[in-house]
Amino acid sequence: MNKKIILKVTGMTCASCAASNEKALKKTRGILNASVNIATKKAVVEYDSDILTEEDVKKVIRDNGYDVAENSPSPPSPLSLAGRGQGEGGEYTHEYTHEHATSDDAKKSWKQFLGSAVLSLPLVVGMFFKWETETEIEKFDLKMILDATLATVVVFYFGWRFHRMAFRQAKKIQANMDTLVSMGTLAAYMYSLWAIFNGKQGYFEAAAVIITLILLGKFFEAKSMGQAGEAMRKLMELGAKKARVLIDNKEREINIDEIKIGDILVVRPSEKIPLDGEVVEGESSVDESMLTGESMPVEKKIGSKVFGATINQDGVLKIKVTQTGEGTVLAQIIKTVEEAQNSKAPIQKLADKISGIFVPVVISIALVTFLGWYFVKNDFTLALINAVSVLVIACPCALGLATPTAIMVGTGKGAKRGVLFKSGESFERTKEITMAVFDKTGTLTKGEPNVTRIVVNDSVIPSEVEGSQDSSVPLRSTQNDKEKEEKILKIAASVAKNSEHPISKAVFQYAQGKNIELAEFINFKELKGRGVSAVCETHGVEILLGNKKLLEENNLETSWAEKILGDEGLGIGTRLFVVHNKKVIGVLIVADEIREETKKVIGDLKKSGMKIAMITGDNKKTAEAVAKELGIDKVLAEVLPSEKSDEIKKLQSAGEKVVFVGDGINDAPSLVQADLGIAMGSATDIAKEAGQIILMQNNLEKVPEAIRISKQTFSAIRQNLFWAFIYNIIAIPLAISGLLSPVIAAGAMAFSSVSVVMNSLRIYRK
């Protein structure tokens, strides 16, 4: 069986580390796929559990010179439960814990920086103010001894993390950023040590300041990464830790992990709903903004579904638990966001390839730089300093962080706004989109047919449903339009109540809403694709309710029907003709109401230069009328559900890059076929959706918002990669030419990684 796990990898400091671990995992028999992310410090590994165990996977990472953090205990909550569920291709296992690693890294780096800075300060001052104590110990000036002592502490105590990892890598005949820092600082330190014994100028300050500045860079990097992952941490902190459970009709407060499916919870106003469930008693409004991004509260009553971590506002609710642990919507959201953050966009492939060979290439360049300066200038000191500058200024971190930090921020912002990106690839797919194709029913419309208008044939109408069998009865002058419409509705709904067809149900429900008293009919028949028929139980009058095909089949007069069909002023919708005793007495217009926000969304997308198309199974005339009202140029009508994906293929063959917007699982083939699929799914559909992007609420305004966030994120990725490449392309030649001292090189290297993360954080502010 295939399993997927997410592991927290410790000891990684740059993109080369991630590339090394990924390579080691992928070449291991039994591991089907692996992705290691330097930004999140996590590895997503899919493996065959018949060949390997989870411990075997961890051993691969440990044998590669790194370690795997074991999950620490966390307060009881839905997120701390070890969840098991079905992932793609097999079983998925993962344990959610509250993560403080980034915060701990920042604190640790800050403390190390402060200690290193204090000890390095006298060395830096000595660079500008040359002085000696005139006190000698064993022929060495006391200042020289102090410099060597301070540098030794900084290089070997505060810089030990770099040397330790460099040594681990060397044992595996590998190299990473720590290798560059270790080589550079040790070269400067050892030369300085040699220099003081030979009466020459030392560079202890360079070795110490390099360590200090890189530690400062690590602090800012960890701090910035903490901000980048803030949305994820807030999600993980949303779950309630305790809940009030009814046991033998008495309330008892217990930990979340003790609650079982079927338990009854009591939630009072202003309290968090602990877990997913169904309301069994009470009414209230619930703030679901943490799930959907929608600020308006949602009314809940008996039978309504509620979700964990949402907030009950103004009533007491009793809730029957339907999901716990990883089955809750919040846990599914966190899982989706986490997997997206650990995934890679295709654009990262080039950076990964370069990162994999970056450090060995830089070491080679540094060696060539040393030899070049030594043989050209015959100056060992100058050659060494320039070689150290090359080692220190090269930064694989910026390349490695360019893509994952932007993805981390983009997915976090999306989750906060009710938009779930399922992978890093989603961001790249958006960049070339030229056409948006919308499914009509349930996407552009509400997906709920409703009677929008009733038209009466003024020349013919029965006096009563159960009345005379005369073929026609002139309308009484005392009857107003409302009475006539109610009579038509009574006849139609009395027949429709026996049908399961959505349009018939809409007629019946509309009559119920109007409190129309219905009549009894017998001999009910469902006429597939045409309508329904029945007979009045009391007087034997036949009633037909259906489309124009039904009229033609029964050789009924269709002139009035033709007039109705040709009258566009009646509005958009399905024409449902009512026949009483072989006379067409009226027509009901049944339409799926267009969403309030649809027209604005279509307009916004068209302004952005996108073409708009609508796909539907409706007849061409109805579809064109809807398209005309909404300003949609291209209409794909009378398309069967099984044919929708074929229509998407045709558009792609014509050169279009298509984003398909559908209302969930039913549109799965089209969502997969499109270049980008956006599913307007409900919260319970998260794990099942086929789209690359899932909207947590059925609000079309989230479509352009999802596209905007996606484009902002991909723009940040491109900017990050550009500056990361440019930095190394410019900085390394400057170091080779001797224009940068090791101290300046260290500062520039530290700043390069931080600048990439800070640029990614701009996505939040846009």
Side-chain angles (χ1 to χ4, degrees), residues 75-130:
S77 80
L79 306 181
S80 66
L81 300 175
R84 302 180 72 86
Q86 289 301 313
E88 185 178 342
E91 191 174 286
Y92 172 91
T93 64
H94 183 68
E95 184 167 337
Y96 293 111
T97 58
H98 295 279
E99 296 184 26
H100 301 292
T102 306
S103 175
D104 291 344
D105 285 346
K107 289 177 182 177
K108 183 179 178 181
S109 293
W110 177 248
K111 287 178 181 178
Q112 289 181 331
F113 161 71
L114 283 178
S116 183
V118 168
L119 296 183
S120 299
L121 185 60
L123 298 174
V124 175
V125 172
M127 290 171 60
F128 301 99
F129 302 99
K130 303 293 183 183

Side-chain angles (χ1 to χ4, degrees), residues 123-197:
L123 298 174
V124 175
V125 172
M127 290 171 60
F128 301 99
F129 302 99
K130 303 293 183 183
W131 57 277
E132 294 182 353
T133 63
E134 296 183 357
T135 300
E136 292 187 352
I137 299 176
E138 295 292 329
K139 297 183 181 180
F140 295 108
D141 186 80
L142 181 60
K143 176 188 177 295
M144 195 177 296
I145 294 173
L146 288 173
D147 286 353
T149 303
L150 292 173
T152 300
V153 175
V154 172
V155 171
F156 291 101
Y157 178 74
F158 293 106
W160 180 245
R161 61 193 281 186
F162 304 113
H163 307 311
R164 183 185 62 210
M165 284 305 301
F167 178 69
R168 283 186 183 179
Q169 292 298 300
K171 286 198 299 182
K172 294 288 179 181
I173 317 177
Q174 295 177 167
N176 63 4
M177 189 206 78
D178 296 312
T179 306
L180 299 181
V181 174
S182 180
M183 288 180 66
T185 53
L186 288 178
Y189 175 83
M190 292 301 179
Y191 171 78
S192 301
L193 209 58
W194 174 85
I196 64 171
F197 282 100

Side-chain angles (χ1 to χ4, degrees), residues 245-246 259-265 276-277 280 319-324:
V245 184
L246 272 182
I259 295 173
K260 302 182 292 295
I261 291 175
D263 285 349
I264 304 298
L265 309 181
D276 295 5
V280 293
I319 299 165
K320 182 180 180 180
V321 177
T322 57
Q323 291 288 352
T324 61

Side-chain angles (χ1 to χ4, degrees), residues 15-17 19-20 23 175 350-361 396:
S16 299
C17 303
S20 173
K23 183 179 179 181
L350 177 61
D352 284 348
K353 286 181 180 178
I354 293 175
S355 298
I357 60 170
F358 187 88
V359 175
V361 168

Side-chain angles (χ1 to χ4, degrees), residues 595-612:
R595 296 177 185 274
E596 294 175 4
E597 72 274 14
T598 299
K599 194 173 288 189
K600 179 181 181 299
V601 169
I602 298 298
D604 288 347
L605 292 175
K606 289 180 78 173
K607 284 178 185 176
S608 69
M610 206 174 288
K611 301 171 192 172
I612 310 295

Side-chain angles (χ1 to χ4, degrees), residues 401-466:
L401 292 171
T403 301
T405 53
I407 289 175
M408 182 184 291
V409 177
T411 53
K413 180 179 180 179
K416 186 177 179 181
R417 300 291 301 157
V419 178
L420 291 185
F421 294 91
K422 293 186 72 176
S423 71
E425 189 178 357
S426 309
F427 302 108
E428 190 163 348
R429 287 190 178 203
T430 310
K431 73 180 189 297
E432 296 177 345
I433 296 298
T434 59
M435 174 178 279
V437 178
F438 289 87
D439 177 51
K440 174 182 163 286
T441 305
T443 304
L444 295 176
T445 64
K446 294 180 180 178
E448 300 170 358
N450 191 29
V451 177
T452 58
R453 187 167 177 183
I454 300 173
V455 183
V456 180
N457 185 348
D458 287 338
S459 61
V460 179
I461 190 168
S463 57
E464 294 291 342
V465 173
E466 56 281 81

Side-chain angles (χ1 to χ4, degrees), residues 332 422 664-665 668 684-691 694:
Q332 288 184 45
K422 293 186 72 176
I665 301 169
T684 53
D685 292 334
I686 297 169
K688 308 170 189 174
E689 297 293 356
I694 302 169

